[in-house]
């Protein structure tokens, strides 16, 4: 009827390029411009991510980290999207984007030190990797991404920003405000939502009444796309398209990568309280690495040597991570007074001196 | 190869213990790094714990079902892995169970430290250093604290310093005469410093003198003062005083004429209630008081204070005398409290106690009148046409002309005078 | 010398900064085309264009959040909150990010952001338009807080705030937007306005105040002087970092302190001053530090706001109290 829009008419289909059985979807419609070395690189980073992720969980269980938020099962969604970025593009992560960090070459322990309580922002160089610090308050980083992207636009720089967040974040006001600002300002930003099914224990059905997350983009005047989040190639192509769109000055895109969080929300969470073994097994069968391996082996791109090389590289990274984390001491306590302001105020200076005096007994 | 311990970590942001559910290895097993070794149940979840060491299981601790505290050793492993080199003790993430009260870090005793006498005289700062309570004490005792030498830490003026300064200023001649006839010299106010060579000196006005000054100004410039006076033959009064002095109740007490004057005043107030009242400018009313709280203006070292005899009408002569003496003493000692210094309904200022015949006293705001009995001295008087020598006293009354007119004030004063001249009449009206 | 209002002082300061540094951008609701509801950003969009003077959507968290993003990129955003009571949706961005980003990133990603907020009452406004919210910001480590009370200070302090590499909350006393002063522009502060301003020298009592209350205190002091009381009045300007030196020198001289704010006293910044003064120099005090401020009630309806806001007599009562302690 004229004047009405009806949510039940919205398509809930997802883009898919690589099927769970490891074969390409015929007539998927995308230009797959990845060469063999690209495919191998994507695979390498996915393996690295999985190994580092597993080791991080182990380290937490061994008392070396206070908590850890595993990315297990989301390697496809993260590495696929990350691979589409150009080197100058910035990433504004939440707190689960290990895949993005590994793609950008961040030293794993530099991220994990955040969870160890060494320093809130971790220890990596944000500008060097064009990766903002992990952001704990939900969805707030989406606004930072929009501001940064707008800055780049004002400068005429060829930089696009990708804002990462989960399905729960789409309920927060800052998500809405970020999309709205980005739409109005035509900011060169990609909103990348990894819909992994749960916000801790709360399933998507309790988070929104919308038929998909992708459709929310329409409310802000830009396109949305839903993609199989365990299809690394699908994630790659839709992100690539969104980045191109932004670079052409056409504004934002909202990508909903439908995936699954195979681990708990964090190591302090007991996922058995709210989901079943069946569900877990269902998603294990949809593992992003397994299907990609099958595809690459069939294409002759993944040799046994290369596979071993990636495995051993992953294990080495895990070992190096363990060495750097286990028994690592805290930073110099004086640092907590160091970067509060550019310069300490007289009152803060006095407190610092009292603090240092108090430390002498310890 | 060495034996390494693995202690149960805090698995979930502040947990304190876990229950052993299932051991996945046994003593003697060869295990790999990260191999699951045990399943435990915490408050939050069932957790599989991976081994932090590769090697041989030496000993496991805790039977199935046992509750183990965070921080307790659960397994030892013979391993070739070296202990990590770290300056601090092994980090145990999470803090484990409550181990009882926290312990001190620093080894020092706290508590009040006795003042050490400084090796040399500390430099006296321009403005005295003192804690607020000590400053208040100085004010109450009428001591200028900036002039007191401080013997405390860093030249601080202590409580003792202030008291000592006050004592040294209480010179001889502090006793106020109770005999109306005695002349008592005015004592020196505390703040004057003798500087003989200067043409002038400036005395800073503080505390009591300041508040007396403010009160005087307030009274003098809001109340229209008129004074009337009357000379009376006080011979009978003096005779009554002598007789009262011989009473057993007067033992250990010096009866002055003052309590008798007060009694006469009370009788006169009952007859002329307007004298015992107050002009309320805000409500446009004259408030006539039917209680009798007599203020007795008293000269002290700190300045003029007016202690109040509450419900004077309920006291007999001896009680009056005693109460007046008590109040005067505590005023001079500096120990008198606010409740004894407030609430008067009319005031007497005994100018005779320092030898004056009369005066034009300033009303004790916000009362309606103030009575000034003068010195009782031998003067010529006319009795039955003859000049004789009598005890003569002048009484002045300053009154609020808004409340009382001259005639009413005069009638009051005359009546009072009659009672003074013939104190026997008090019998009829008490 | 031309006479300008406090609002004009702010307007000129923005213009001055935007002319000298093309990284300075102004953003907020109605700041561009309309020039701001108090005209503080008047005509800036005509001069500098829509990219540098941005009319944002109606979303305070969004304004500060995108401001943060712009600052990470390298711009110097001056974000406007339209009224004090509408700052609250932006609190998460201000407290969790604006204040902590420098520290979180060990100085690698500093945020040179100014958040301008008109604050305070006395303008007959409806609810939520008269808040004094400085305590929340002075309590948050990582933020700087400043508030001008005169047109010349408005210019100079806003320039200082924009040029400061750290995040600054700039509180504008809205009831004083229209006061005038003869000012030669530009007012170039060489750091002297980082110190508190001694408005009036005196010896009997120190009165500390800031923002809208400065004028109230000046009026009270004129009366006090007639009564023979000599008051020293200090306009704090920067609440953080605080010019504790000037404050303590004055307290040492007078021995008595009164703090006057519009803000309600409990948990206020004046409570912090009282505590700090007594900790720093108890021995100089003849009396406790007395705070004069609003009552601990939600800001009342305009019809009775003059009963809530400290007036001349309440200031004089406090002065009288400390003098006669």
């Amino acid at each position: 009827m004229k004047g009405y829009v009806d949510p039940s008419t919205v398509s809930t289909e997802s883009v898919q390029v690589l099927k769970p059985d490891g074969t390409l979807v015929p007539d998927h419609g995308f230009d797959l411009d990845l060469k063999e070395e690209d495919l191998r690189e994507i695979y390498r980073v996915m393996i690295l991510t999985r190994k580092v992720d597993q080791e991080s969980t182990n380290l937490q269980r061994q008392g070396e980290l206070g908590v850890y938020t595993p990315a297990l099962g989301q390697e496809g969604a993260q590495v696929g999207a990350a691979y589409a970025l150009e080197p100058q593009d910035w990433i504004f992560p939440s707190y689960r984007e290990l895949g993005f960090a590994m793609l950008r070459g961040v030293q794993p322990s530099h991220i994990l030190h955040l969870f160890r309580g060494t320093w809130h922002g971790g220890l990596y160089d944000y500008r060097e990797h064009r990766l903002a610090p992990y952001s704990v308050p939900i969805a707030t980083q989406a606004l930072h991404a929009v501001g940064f992207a707008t800055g780049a636009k004002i400068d005429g720089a060829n930089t696009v920003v990708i804002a990462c967040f989960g399905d729960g974040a789409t309920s927060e006001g800052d998500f809405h405000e970020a999309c709205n600002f980005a739409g109005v300002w035509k900011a060169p930003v990609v909103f990348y939502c990894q819909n992994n099914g749960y916000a801790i224990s709360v399933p998507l059905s309790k988070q929104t009444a919308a038929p998909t997350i992708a459709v929310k983009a329409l409310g802000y005047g830009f396109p949305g796309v839903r993609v199989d989040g365990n299809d690394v190639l699908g994630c790659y192509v839709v992100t690539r398209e969104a980045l191109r769109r932004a670079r052409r000055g056409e504004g934002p895109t909202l990508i909903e990568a439908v995936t699954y969080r195979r681990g708990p929300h964090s190591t302090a969470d007991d996922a058995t309280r709210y989901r079943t073994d069946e569900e877990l097994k269902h998603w294990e069968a949809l593992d992003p690495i397994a299907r990609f391996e099958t595809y690459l082996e069939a294409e002759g791109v993944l040799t046994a040597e290369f596979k071993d090389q990636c495995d051993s590289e992953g294990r080495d990274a895990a070992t190096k991570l363990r060495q750097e984390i286990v028994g690592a001491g805290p930073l110099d306590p004086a640092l907590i007074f160091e970067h509060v302001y550019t310069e300490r105020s007289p009152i803060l200076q006095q407190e610092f001196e009292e603090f240092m005096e108090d430390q002498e007994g310890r | 190869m060495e034996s390494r311990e693995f202690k149960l970590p805090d698995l979930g942001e502040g947990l304190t213990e876990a229950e052993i559910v299932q051991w996945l290895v046994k003593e003697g097993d060869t295990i790999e790094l990260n191999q699951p070794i045990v399943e435990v149940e915490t408050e939050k979840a069932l957790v599989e714990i991976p081994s932090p060491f590769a090697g041989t299981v030496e000993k496991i601790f805790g039977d199935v079902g046992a509750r183990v505290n965070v921080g307790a050793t659960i397994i030892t492993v013979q391993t070739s892995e070296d202990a990590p080199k770290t300056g601090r003790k092994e980090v145990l993430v999470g803090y484990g169970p409550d181990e009882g009260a926290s312990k001190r870090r620093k080894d020092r005793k706290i508590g009040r430290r006795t003042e050490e006498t400084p090796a040399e005289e500390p430099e006296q700062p321009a403005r005295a250093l003192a804690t607020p309570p000590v400053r208040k004490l100085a004010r109450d005792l009428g001591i200028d604290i900036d002039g007191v030498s401080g013997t405390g830490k860093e030249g601080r003026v202590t409580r003792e310093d202030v008291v000592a300064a006050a004592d040294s200023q209480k010179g001889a001649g502090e006793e106020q005469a109770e005999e109306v006839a005695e002349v008592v010299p005015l004592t020196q106010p505390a703040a004057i410093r003798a500087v003989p060579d200067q043409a002038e000196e400036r005395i800073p006005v503080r505390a009591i003198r300041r508040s007396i000054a403010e009160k005087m100004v307030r009274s003098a410039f809001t109340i229209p003062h008129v004074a009337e006076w009357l000379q009376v033959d006080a011979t009978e009064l003096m005779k009554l005083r002598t007789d009262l002095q011989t009473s057993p109740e007067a033992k250990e007490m010096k009866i002055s004429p003052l309590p008798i004057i007060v009694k006469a005043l009370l009788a006169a107030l009952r007859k002329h209630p307007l004298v015992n009242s107050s002009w309320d400018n805000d409500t446009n009313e004259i408030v006539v008081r039917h209680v009798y709280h007599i203020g007795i203006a008293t000269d002290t070292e700190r300045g003029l204070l007016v202690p109040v005899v509450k419900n004077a009408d309920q006291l007999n002569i001896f009680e009056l005398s005693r109460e007046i003496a008590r109040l005067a003493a505590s005023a001079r000692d500096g120990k008198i409290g606010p409740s004894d210094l407030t609430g008067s309904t009319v005031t007497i200022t005994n100018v005779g106690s320092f030898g004056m015949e009369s005066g034009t006293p300033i009303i004790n705001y916000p009362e309606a009148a103030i009575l000034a009995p003068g010195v009782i001295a031998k003067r010529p008087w006319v009795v039955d046409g003859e000049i004789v020598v009598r005890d003569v006293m002048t009484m002045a009354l300053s009154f609020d002309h808004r409340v009382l007119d001259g005639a009413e004030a005069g009638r009051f004063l005359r009546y009072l005078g009659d009672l003074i001249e013939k104190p026997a009449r008090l019998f009829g009206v008490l | 010398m031309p006479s300008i209002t406090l609002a004009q002082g702010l307007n000129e300061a923005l213009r001055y900064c935007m002319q000298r540094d093309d990284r300075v951008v102004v953003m907020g609701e109605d700041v561009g085309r309309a020039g701001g509801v108090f005209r503080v950003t008047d005509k800036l969009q005509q001069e500098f264009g829509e990219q540098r003077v941005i009319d944002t959507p109606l979303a305070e968290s969004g304004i500060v959040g995108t401001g943060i993003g712009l600052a990470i990129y390298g711009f110097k955003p001056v974000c406007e909150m339209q009224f004090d009571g509408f700052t609250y949706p932006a609190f998460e961005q201000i407290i969790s990010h604006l204040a902590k980003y420098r520290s979180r990133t060990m100085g690698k990603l500093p945020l040179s952001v100014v958040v301008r907020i008109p604050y305070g009452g006395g303008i007959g406004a409806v609810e939520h338009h008269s808040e004094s919210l400085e305590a929340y910001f002075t309590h948050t480590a990582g933020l700087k807080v400043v508030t001008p009370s005169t047109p010349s200070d408005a210019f100079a302090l806003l320039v200082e705030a924009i040029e400061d590499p750290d995040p600054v909350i700039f509180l504008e006393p809205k009831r004083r937007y229209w006061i005038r002063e003869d000012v030669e522009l530009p007012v170039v502060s060489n750091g002297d306005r980082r110190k508190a301003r001694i408005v009036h020298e005196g010896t009997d009592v120190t009165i500390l105040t800031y923002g809208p209350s400065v004028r109230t205190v000046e009026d009270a002091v004129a009366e006090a002087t007639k009564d023979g009381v000599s008051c020293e009045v200090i306009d704090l300007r920067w609440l953080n970092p605080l010019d504790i030196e000037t404050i303590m020198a004055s307290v040492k001289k007078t021995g008595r302190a009164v703090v006057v704010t519009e803000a309600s006293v409990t948990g206020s910044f004046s409570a912090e001053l009282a505590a700090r003064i007594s900790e720093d120099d108890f021995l100089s005090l003849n009396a406790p530090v007395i705070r004069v401020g609003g009552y601990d009630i939600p800001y009342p309806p305009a019809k009775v706001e003059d009963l809530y806001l400290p007036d001349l007599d309440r200031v004089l009562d406090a002065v009288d109290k400390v003098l006669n302690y």
Side-chain angles (χ1 to χ4, degrees):
Chain A
M1 221 177 104
K2 212 160 57 162
Y4 282 75
V5 293
D6 183 355
S8 65
T9 64
V10 172
S11 160
T12 58
E13 290 179 323
S14 296
V15 165
Q16 193 181 58
V17 171
L18 183 65
K19 294 196 289 203
D21 65 6
T23 62
L24 291 183
V25 169
D27 311 313
H28 55 72
F30 289 97
D31 167 28
L32 264 186
D33 60 349
L34 295 168
K35 302 199 253 319
E36 280 190 14
E37 52 262 35
D38 295 313
L39 295 169
R40 277 195 281 269
E41 177 62 8
I42 291 173
Y43 179 79
R44 179 191 76 80
V45 177
M46 286 172 84
I47 296 294
L48 174 65
T49 303
R50 179 151 298 178
K51 292 272 193 274
V52 168
D53 185 71
Q54 267 169 353
E55 193 65 9
S56 303
T57 297
N58 289 335
L59 285 167
Q60 194 281 336
R61 293 277 177 248
Q62 290 155 0
E64 298 296 335
L65 304 173
V67 74
Y68 177 65
T69 47
L72 178 66
Q74 297 177 223
E75 300 87 348
Q78 293 187 9
V79 179
Y83 201 77
L85 296 169
E86 284 184 22
Q88 76 278 12
D89 293 336
W90 268 72
I91 305 162
F92 278 75
S94 65
Y95 47 77
R96 205 186 291 283
E97 272 62 66
L98 188 66
F100 283 89
M102 294 301 97
L103 191 287
R104 277 290 168 86
V106 176
Q107 194 172 319
S109 63
H110 285 181
I111 300 256
L112 274 313
H113 268 297
L114 186 165
F115 295 107
R116 189 171 170 79
T118 309
W119 199 256
H120 289 321
L123 298 179
Y124 58 97
D125 186 331
Y126 321 96
R127 285 204 191 279
E128 184 191 320
H129 300 286
R130 267 96 49 228
L131 175 70
Y134 267 21
S135 180
V136 172
I138 303 293
T140 52
Q141 69 277 11
L143 282 170
H144 307 161
V146 173
F148 193 98
T150 302
K153 182 176 177 183
I154 293 175
D155 260 6
N158 186 25
T159 299
V160 181
V161 182
I162 186 165
C164 302
F165 48 88
D167 40 293
T170 63
S171 294
E172 277 280 359
D174 278 10
F175 163 75
H176 157 74
E177 295 190 19
C179 287
N180 192 41
F181 273 61
V184 172
W185 290 350
K186 265 207 160 74
V189 66
V190 175
F191 291 109
Y192 195 74
C193 175
Q194 291 163 68
N195 172 5
N196 63 15
Y198 290 92
I200 307 189
S201 68
V202 178
L204 188 67
S205 56
K206 289 212 166 70
Q207 210 59 254
T208 179
T212 67
I213 288 173
V215 72
K216 291 175 188 263
L218 297 181
Y220 305 107
F222 50 82
V225 54
R226 197 178 215 213
V227 62
D228 176 350
N230 283 15
D231 166 6
V232 66
L233 296 179
C235 292
Y236 166 77
V237 293
V238 301
T239 306
R240 183 194 68 195
E241 290 312 303
L243 291 164
R244 284 177 180 169
R245 207 184 103 80
R247 246 179 270 282
R248 289 194 297 267
E250 289 166 21
T253 308
L254 171 61
I255 299 175
E256 177 192 354
V258 182
T259 177
Y260 191 78
R261 194 197 71 209
R262 297 230 301 270
H265 158 72
S266 80
T267 48
D269 173 39
D270 178 6
T272 63
R273 281 172 180 256
Y274 53 83
R275 51 193 203 182
T276 61
D277 265 352
E278 287 82 47
E279 190 182 281
L280 199 53
K281 283 193 170 48
H282 169 81
W283 282 93
E284 272 169 12
L286 298 170
D287 182 46
I289 295 181
R291 80 167 83 165
F292 195 50
E293 250 175 31
T294 307
Y295 169 71
L296 293 178
E297 277 163 351
E299 294 293 304
V301 171
L302 186 66
T303 61
E305 292 91 36
F306 184 72
K307 194 163 167 211
D308 285 341
Q309 197 184 307
C310 290
D311 269 349
S312 114
E313 215 189 282
R315 267 180 281 117
D316 286 347
T319 305
K320 180 161 184 275
L321 172 64
R322 173 170 291 274
Q323 281 164 355
E324 286 167 9
I325 290 289
V326 173
L331 299 180
D332 181 358
L335 278 173
I336 62 180
F337 282 85
E338 199 56 35
H339 299 288
V340 182
Y341 298 98
T342 307
E343 226 179 80
R344 280 189 284 268
S345 66
I347 286 174
L348 189 59
Q349 178 63 25
Q350 197 185 316
E351 287 186 10
F352 174 58
E353 284 162 15
E354 284 168 15
F355 173 79
M356 292 305 281
E357 223 182 274
D358 195 49
Q359 298 310 297
E360 266 160 39
R362 290 182 190 259
Chain B
M1 293 290 271
E2 59 174 289
S3 175
R4 299 283 307 280
E5 283 181 339
F6 178 43
K7 301 186 168 82
L8 180 70
D10 170 5
L11 294 165
E13 297 169 316
L15 296 174
T16 58
E17 58 172 25
E19 185 186 302
I20 309 277
V21 170
Q22 193 188 113
W23 280 103
L24 305 169
V25 298
K26 55 189 192 302
E27 288 167 15
D29 280 356
T30 304
I31 57 173
E32 289 174 2
L33 173 65
N34 289 329
Q35 179 173 340
I37 49 176
V38 66
E39 241 175 35
V40 301
E41 174 117 42
T42 68
E43 298 290 342
K44 289 192 177 186
L46 185 64
V47 180
E48 217 175 65
I49 301 186
S51 171
F53 316 118
T56 316
V57 177
E58 214 172 38
K59 191 153 175 33
I60 62 179
F61 301 82
D63 298 324
V64 170
R67 297 203 79 83
V68 182
N69 282 337
V70 166
T73 306
I74 53 171
I75 191 171
T76 55
V77 176
Q78 270 287 323
T79 174
S80 55
E81 272 174 49
D82 297 324
K85 290 164 197 46
T86 167
R88 287 187 56 190
K89 66 177 175 67
E90 211 172 288
V91 173
L92 177 69
V93 178
Y95 303 108
D98 192 1
E99 278 165 11
S102 330
K103 302 238 179 344
R104 278 190 195 221
R105 277 188 290 116
K106 294 185 189 170
D107 179 22
R108 47 101 176 92
K109 192 164 148 61
I110 63 167
R112 300 208 72 187
R113 279 175 273 285
T114 48
E115 302 276 352
E116 295 148 18
T117 37
E120 48 186 69
E121 274 288 310
E123 202 187 290
Q124 294 299 311
R127 243 190 103 224
L129 289 177
T131 63
V134 172
R135 290 186 189 280
K136 183 174 192 319
L137 178 66
R139 281 201 293 275
D140 289 347
L141 296 180
I143 300 291
D144 174 20
I145 200 168
D146 289 339
V148 177
S149 200
T151 64
K153 206 159 47 151
E154 293 156 3
R156 252 189 241 192
V157 174
T158 66
R159 180 167 276 269
E160 291 70 34
D161 293 334
V162 168
V163 171
D167 282 340
S168 74
Q169 280 182 12
K170 251 196 227 169
E174 64 158 318
E175 269 304 315
Q176 271 286 52
E178 292 182 356
E179 281 281 356
V180 171
E182 268 178 50
V183 176
V184 176
L186 266 174
T187 51
Q188 287 249 345
I192 296 180
R193 283 160 285 209
V195 187
D197 297 329
Q198 293 183 353
E200 71 177 32
E201 70 176 286
R202 289 180 164 269
I203 301 159
V205 174
R206 287 199 179 79
I208 280 197
R209 186 133 302 277
R210 191 191 182 91
S211 81
I212 292 169
E214 279 160 9
K215 213 164 180 218
M216 289 296 174
V217 165
R218 196 169 186 202
S219 179
F221 294 105
T222 56
I223 302 178
H225 279 62
V226 174
E228 292 181 355
W229 56 92
L230 181 68
Q231 230 178 14
V232 294
D233 179 353
T235 311
E236 298 281 315
L237 175 76
M238 294 306 276
K239 237 200 258 159
L240 175 58
R241 188 200 85 142
T242 312
D243 289 339
L244 287 171
Q245 188 67 70
T246 62
S247 311
E249 293 88 343
K251 219 162 62 159
E252 286 159 39
M253 197 194 306
K254 209 151 184 247
I255 308 277
S256 77
L258 186 58
I260 310 172
I261 295 174
V262 171
K263 273 292 179 190
L265 172 64
L266 287 164
L269 290 175
R270 253 195 286 276
K271 191 149 193 289
H272 296 272
L274 274 180
V275 183
N276 194 44
S277 71
S278 179
W279 176 269
D280 188 334
N281 211 43
D282 297 329
T283 62
N284 232 24
E285 295 167 321
I286 295 170
V287 183
V288 178
R289 310 295 303 280
H290 295 301
V291 291
Y292 301 93
H293 305 318
I294 314 293
I296 312 275
T298 306
D299 184 36
T300 73
E301 278 150 20
R302 295 189 280 146
L304 176 68
L305 292 178
V306 185
V308 180
V309 178
K310 295 263 169 48
N311 298 305
D313 55 316
Q314 292 165 19
L315 303 175
N316 66 36
I317 289 274
F318 304 107
E319 288 162 342
L320 263 178
S321 184
R322 209 185 329 264
E323 180 64 359
I324 291 172
R326 178 190 80 77
L327 289 168
S330 76
R332 278 179 227 124
D333 287 344
K335 291 202 170 74
I336 193 164
S339 60
D340 279 334
L341 287 172
T342 51
S344 51
T345 58
V346 74
T347 300
I348 293 183
T349 174
N350 190 357
V351 304
S353 70
F354 41 88
M356 291 300 101
E357 281 176 10
S358 198
T360 53
I362 293 183
I363 293 168
N364 190 11
Y365 186 96
E367 294 158 27
I370 182 168
L371 180 74
V375 66
I376 302 178
K378 303 269 184 222
R379 292 277 185 273
W381 198 254
V382 176
V383 175
D384 298 327
E386 302 281 312
I387 294 185
V388 292
V389 174
R390 306 287 276 190
D391 292 313
V392 176
M393 172 176 72
T394 303
M395 290 191 299
L397 182 80
S398 281
F399 57 93
D400 183 340
H401 211 308
R402 299 171 298 184
V403 176
L404 293 159
D405 345 296
E408 174 64 14
R411 280 191 287 272
F412 165 82
L413 200 51
R414 182 68 263 172
Y415 182 69
L416 176 60
D418 289 344
L419 291 173
I420 298 266
E421 288 184 326
K422 286 260 175 272
R425 288 192 204 169
L426 277 171
F427 258 115
V429 293
L430 278 172
Chain C
M1 245 196 295
S3 132
I4 59 166
T5 65
L6 194 144
Q8 283 168 333
L10 298 168
N11 183 254
E12 292 299 336
L14 289 168
R15 182 170 289 104
Y16 177 77
C17 290
M18 291 181 81
Q19 280 166 353
R20 284 152 43 113
D21 184 354
D22 65 2
R23 299 282 87 177
V24 178
V25 301
V26 165
M27 51 198 293
E29 296 153 19
D30 306 292
V31 298
R33 189 131 165 229
V37 293
F38 288 106
R39 308 288 174 256
V40 174
T41 53
D42 199 29
K43 301 202 174 51
L44 292 177
Q45 196 178 63
Q46 282 99 300
E47 190 174 332
F48 298 101
E50 284 184 17
Q51 264 192 355
R52 287 187 68 195
V53 182
I54 306 169
D55 278 320
T56 63
L58 208 166
E60 287 75 17
S61 181
I63 293 167
V64 178
T66 54
I68 288 172
L70 278 163
I72 297 173
Y73 183 87
F75 280 87
K76 284 172 162 283
V78 181
C79 302
E80 178 180 301
M81 300 284 98
Q82 197 159 81
F83 283 93
D84 38 65
F86 304 139
T87 308
Y88 305 125
F91 260 49
E92 174 161 46
Q93 289 290 344
I94 293 173
I95 311 295
S96 300
H97 291 301
L98 194 62
K100 298 177 171 59
Y101 228 82
R102 163 177 277 273
S103 179
R104 180 185 303 151
T105 63
M106 288 212 215
K108 297 192 192 96
L109 298 181
L111 301 179
S112 179
V113 175
V114 175
V115 180
R116 289 181 39 243
I117 309 176
Y119 80 119
I123 60 166
V126 294
E127 211 185 352
H128 312 300
H129 290 64
S130 307
E131 306 281 289
S132 283
L133 65 175
E134 60 271 27
Y136 307 129
F137 304 123
T138 54
H139 183 65
T140 303
L143 296 177
K144 291 185 173 168
V145 185
V146 64
T147 175
S149 67
T150 66
S152 57
D153 266 3
F155 185 100
L157 293 175
L158 185 52
V159 173
E160 267 184 10
I162 292 173
E163 291 178 351
D164 198 308
D166 293 322
V168 179
I169 309 293
F170 192 89
L171 298 169
E172 303 170 356
K174 66 172 92 70
R175 77 188 296 189
R176 306 292 179 214
Y177 269 144
W178 316 119
I179 62 175
R180 290 194 161 272
E181 193 187 346
D182 292 331
V183 184
E184 191 73 59
L185 292 178
V187 182
V188 180
S189 159
N190 51 5
D192 55 350
R193 284 175 210 244
R194 291 283 174 168
K195 298 189 75 59
R197 174 172 74 108
I198 299 183
V199 180
H200 189 267
E201 278 187 26
T203 52
D204 289 338
V205 60
T206 300
I207 306 181
L208 303 170
T209 185
Y210 50 85
S213 308
V214 174
R215 174 62 189 279
T216 311
V217 170
E218 284 176 318
D219 291 346
V221 166
E223 290 301 307
T225 306
K226 290 181 195 159
D227 288 357
V229 177
S230 166
C231 301
E232 181 142 294
V233 179
I234 300 182
D235 172 6
L236 295 180
R237 289 174 166 155
W238 287 89
L239 304 186
N240 187 340
L242 185 67
D243 179 7
I244 192 72
E245 202 184 303
T246 299
I247 295 170
M248 295 318 296
S250 179
V251 170
K252 199 170 208 62
K253 181 169 70 159
T254 66
R256 293 165 214 271
V258 169
V259 189
V260 181
T261 63
E262 280 190 17
S264 50
V265 288
T266 297
S268 62
F269 189 65
S270 46
E272 161 62 25
L273 289 172
R276 197 163 282 279
I277 289 170
S278 108
E279 260 184 55
D280 277 11
D281 199 356
F282 190 62
L283 298 183
S284 282
L285 287 174
N286 280 321
V289 179
I290 306 276
R291 301 161 298 164
V292 183
Y295 302 105
D296 291 313
I297 58 173
Y299 196 91
K303 279 271 183 292
V304 290
E305 69 178 332
D306 61 325
L307 305 181
Y308 168 87
L309 294 169
D311 63 4
L312 218 84
D313 287 275
R314 278 170 53 199
V315 176
L316 291 173
D317 284 347
V319 169
D320 199 44
K321 192 167 173 186
V322 293
L323 286 175
N324 288 299
Y325 202 76

